[in-house]
Amino acid sequence: MYVEDNVEGDAHQDQGHEIRQEEGLDNQEDEAADTPLYPNSKTHTKLYITVELYMQKTVSGISRKDFDELLKTIASLLPPGHCLPKSTYEVKKLLKSYQLTHQKIHACENDCCLFRKKLKDADECPKCHYSRWKQDTSNMEDDTYMIDKPKKEISVKVLRYIPIVPRLKRLYQSAELAEQLIWHATNKSKDGKIRHPSDSLAWKHIDRRFPAFASDSHNLHLGLAVDGFNPFGDLSATHSCWPVMIVVNNLSPKMCMQDDNIILSMLIPGKKQPGKNIDVYLQPLIDDLIELWEKGVKVYDSFSKTEFNLKDLLMWTINDFPAHGNLSGYTYKGKEAYPLCGENTLSNWLSFSHKTIYMNHRRFLHHNPPLR
């Protein structure tokens, strides 16, 4: 019996190793995740401290040269035999092996299109005919220098997209997190009270409509949150940058909304708000979501030691009313502003104030309730 268990365990390990090789998860990554920062270190690993330092570089706006000097200074304080990266190049090389990189996708200045797929090599927008590139005026005074050196091409607007497929696959590489990802299936409410999104009518409706999807508890139920903010931290409305976040609703209520478990999928650039053209920027994300829904992707579960076909479903969007109008394409102001009522929205136009008011929005209540 002991021999049979060992054989089965070896088979699971071999299967997991093959899957990790297909996903590009080689031994170098495992070593970085498990290797202590220096001999006998029990608190920090090479990967942990590298990610922490690079995050501080990004948040604080440290230049590449200064970050290289900082790595040298920290290395001089560590005991002999440490494995801290020596330069920014080595840090990026390590993080790239984990597929923790983002794509830069050029966008039209007027939010008409993304320069991808068929428009990958286009130099102007096919709709508004605005140029894809900024005019490089850094060397306009030296005409001779400009003749000898080709013009540097700088895009007018750049979308930062972080592919979600590798990141969702990564969730199951941790046995502890993989166990939490099936929490929604093992901890459902039995008294009819809603303690988790899986207890809601919407979740149960999805399960009835797509029984094949609901049959595998590994499949992910996602939420999408988007809103604009001013990255410069002041009250000016002249610049608006829009992050797009993905929420994994499979996790327990305690973990579901933790910042560590919310995935930043893309960063839509400013200065102006994308408005109803936000669907142009969501194209790469939607393509990945459709691929995961229709075909799925092979993933190895470190908790159950099994392989499965991961699929996802976008259940909810989390946003305020104007952002809801942008995402859905429905108007959020005017005489038909209420999405559920549509043409039956009861509204009144104030000719002197030049605005629409909604005086009869309590008509669904009983005739003489306290709220009237």
Side-chain angles (χ1 to χ4, degrees):
M1 190 70 178
Y2 176 74
V3 174
E4 290 180 356
D5 290 343
N6 278 345
V7 171
E8 185 178 0
D10 292 341
H12 285 313
Q13 290 180 356
D14 293 340
Q15 182 187 24
H17 179 68
E18 292 176 359
I19 297 172
R20 290 175 65 83
Q21 282 187 333
E22 292 178 1
E23 296 176 357
L25 311 180
D26 52 19
N27 294 331
Q28 180 183 359
E29 300 181 28
D30 293 329
E31 292 177 359
D34 299 331
T35 302
L37 181 60
Y38 53 85
N40 300 323
S41 174
K42 298 181 180 180
T43 56
H44 296 93
T45 62
K46 177 181 178 181
L47 178 63
Y48 174 80
I49 195 64
T50 300
V51 172
E52 286 292 322
L53 289 174
Y54 195 69
M55 181 184 69
Q56 293 299 326
K57 173 190 181 302
T58 304
V59 172
S60 304
I62 302 175
S63 66
R64 180 173 186 146
K65 180 179 179 181
D66 293 337
F67 189 61
D68 289 342
E69 294 297 328
L70 178 62
L71 291 175
K72 293 179 181 178
T73 303
I74 297 176
S76 65
L77 302 175
L78 296 176
H82 69 84
C83 54
L84 183 72
K86 299 179 181 179
S87 63
T88 308
Y89 172 76
E90 292 187 6
V91 171
K92 290 185 176 181
K93 185 177 180 181
L94 175 63
L95 297 180
K96 187 176 182 180
S97 64
Y98 282 86
Q99 301 179 0
L100 298 176
T101 56
H102 67 276
Q103 300 175 3
K104 294 182 179 180
I105 305 175
H106 296 174
C108 171
E109 181 179 0
N110 297 320
D111 306 326
C112 300
C113 67
L114 296 178
F115 293 97
R116 58 191 293 265
K117 295 184 176 180
K118 295 181 179 180
L119 300 177
K120 183 178 180 181
D121 299 324
D123 290 327
E124 65 176 24
C125 173
K127 183 177 181 179
C128 66
H129 301 290
Y130 272 63
S131 176
R132 173 180 180 174
W133 313 106
K134 291 181 180 179
Q135 184 178 3
D136 185 11
T137 59
S138 57
N139 299 305
M140 291 295 290
E141 297 179 357
D142 193 349
D143 296 337
T144 305
Y145 183 75
M146 287 294 294
I147 295 175
D148 296 336
K149 184 178 179 180
K151 183 178 68 172
K152 183 178 180 181
E153 294 183 333
I154 302 175
S155 177
V156 175
K157 187 177 289 189
V158 180
L159 168 69
R160 266 78 175 179
Y161 175 58
I162 309 171
I164 62 168
V165 176
R167 302 178 76 185
L168 295 179
K169 291 165 64 176
R170 283 282 177 184
L171 296 178
Y172 287 94
Q173 297 304 314
S174 169
E176 181 180 355
L177 187 56
E179 182 181 8
Q180 291 294 328
L181 286 169
I182 60 174
W183 190 96
H184 67 99
T186 57
N187 294 271
K188 290 187 176 181
S189 175
K190 298 180 180 180
D191 56 4
K193 296 182 180 179
I194 298 179
R195 296 183 176 88
H196 187 266
S198 61
D199 302 323
S200 65
L201 295 177
W203 194 296
K204 295 176 182 178
H205 173 73
I206 292 295
D207 290 347
R208 290 192 300 268
R209 186 174 180 182
F210 305 105
F213 178 84
S215 62
D216 192 347
S217 58
H218 292 98
N219 291 332
L220 300 177
H221 298 69
L222 306 178
L224 185 145
V226 57
D227 202 357
F229 77 104
N230 189 331
F232 302 108
D234 54 24
L235 299 178
S236 173
T238 58
H239 198 107
S240 180
C241 185
W242 286 60
V244 180
M245 320 292 288
I246 298 293
V247 180
V248 181
N249 293 310
N250 292 41
L251 296 169
S252 64
K254 180 180 179 180
M255 300 180 61
C256 186
M257 300 305 294
Q258 287 183 353
D259 54 355
D260 293 340
N261 299 321
I262 297 178
I263 302 174
L264 175 64
S265 61
M266 63 172 50
L267 199 60
I268 301 175
K271 298 180 179 180
K272 63 179 182 179
Q273 300 182 10
K276 291 186 177 181
N277 292 326
I278 194 172
D279 60 323
V280 172
Y281 293 98
L282 293 176
Q283 289 176 9
L285 176 61
I286 298 300
D287 289 345
D288 283 348
L289 291 176
I290 292 176
E291 179 184 0
L292 284 170
W293 168 251
E294 295 180 346
K295 299 180 180 179
V297 61
K298 290 184 178 180
V299 177
Y300 179 73
D301 185 358
S302 298
F303 174 68
S304 61
K305 309 297 183 185
T306 57
E307 179 188 10
F308 67 96
N309 191 42
L310 175 66
K311 291 191 174 184
D312 75 337
L313 184 145
L314 184 61
M315 291 194 64
W316 290 295
T317 58
I318 309 169
N319 40 253
D320 56 15
F321 201 52
H324 168 73
N326 293 336
L327 284 173
S328 64
Y330 189 86
T331 179
Y332 57 90
K333 54 187 176 181
K335 63 180 182 179
E336 299 179 4
Y338 190 51
L340 297 181
C341 291
E343 296 179 354
N344 297 322
T345 302
L346 299 180
S347 59
N348 296 312
W349 171 255
L350 300 181
S351 57
F352 293 100
S353 300
H354 298 286
K355 63 181 181 180
T356 305
I357 60 172
Y358 311 92
M359 298 297 294
N360 299 311
H361 58 281
R362 296 181 180 177
R363 69 182 187 274
F364 301 102
L365 299 176
H366 296 294
H367 183 63
N368 289 316
L371 294 179
R372 276 194 186 272

